[in-house]
Amino acid sequence: VAMLQFMLRAKREGQSLWQVFWHGGTISGATQDPSPPLEIGRWHARNLRQQARALPKALTVSAALGIWLMFTRATLGVGGALADSDHLVGALLFTFSITAFAEVARPLRAVNLLFGLWLLGAPWLLAGGNLLATLADTLVGVLLILLAVPRGPIRHRYGAWDPYLVW
C-alpha cells in the first residue's frame, strides 16, 4: 500500500513512474517516520506473547478451522470429491486468514464468507460425505460467515487507504 501511495504521489508530481519504480525517488512534503526502528534479534518470549495476543481473534480461529478442514479425510472419514473440496478450501482459508492478519489486507477476510457459503452447500453437491461430515462442514461454514464479519483492530493509519479498511 505504501509503495502504491508513493508511486501515485510521484506521478502527480510529474516524475517518471518507470524511473521511480526501478531507481526510487523522493516526493515533496515527505516527513521522517517518528516510530523507532525495528530491532532485529531482540525478540523475547514476552514480545511473542504480546504479539500473539494482538492477533485478530476471529481470523486466528478461521485459520485454525482451515487447518482442521485439511484433515477431515482422516478425522471424519470423508472421501471423494468432498474430501478434496475440504482440503482445498482448508488450505485457501488458512492462506487468506493469515494474509488478512495484516491491517492493510484486512478486507480479504470477506473471501472467508465465500468459503463459508461453499462449505454450506458442498456436502449436498459433492459425493464422499457422511452425516458427520455434513454436520461438520455446515457448522464450519456458519462459523466462517460469522467470523468474517468482525474487522479486528486497526491500530495504524494508511492515508488514502483507510476508507478501504472500514469493512
Side-chain angles (χ1 to χ4, degrees):
V1 171
M3 191 232 11
L4 292 175
Q5 289 175 337
F6 179 81
M7 296 290 288
L8 184 62
R9 285 184 60 184
K11 178 68 176 165
R12 286 182 184 149
E13 290 181 6
Q15 298 181 39
S16 164
L17 287 181
W18 187 257
Q19 180 73 21
V20 172
F21 182 80
W22 290 108
H23 301 286
T26 60
I27 52 177
S28 62
T31 59
Q32 183 71 25
D33 184 5
S35 59
L38 180 64
E39 297 180 31
I40 305 296
R42 301 245 358 211
W43 295 99
H44 302 290
R46 182 175 53 87
N47 293 21
L48 292 175
R49 284 191 303 272
Q50 287 174 345
Q51 287 181 358
R53 281 193 298 269
L55 292 175
K57 304 303 183 257
L59 290 170
T60 304
V61 172
S62 296
L65 289 171
I67 292 171
W68 180 79
L69 277 172
M70 289 191 280
F71 293 99
T72 57
R73 184 182 313 259
T75 58
L76 301 178
V78 179
L82 185 60
D84 296 340
S85 170
D86 283 354
H87 190 84
L88 179 63
V89 169
L92 289 170
L93 174 61
F94 179 79
T95 302
F96 276 91
S97 296
I98 295 295
T99 303
F101 278 11
E103 290 180 354
V104 295
R106 199 61 54 81
L108 282 177
R109 75 189 191 287
V111 176
N112 290 353
L113 282 168
L114 300 176
F115 295 141
L117 290 172
W118 171 252
L119 287 171
L120 289 176
W124 309 105
L125 300 171
L126 303 174
N130 53 40
L131 178 61
L132 186 58
T134 301
L135 293 174
D137 276 7
T138 302
L139 177 65
V140 171
V142 169
L143 284 173
L144 286 178
I145 291 168
L146 295 174
L147 291 170
V149 174
R151 177 180 65 169
I154 304 290
R155 294 184 176 94
H156 298 95
R157 297 288 158 243
Y158 300 96
W161 187 254
D162 283 348
Y164 301 109
L165 300 178
V166 172
W167 193 95

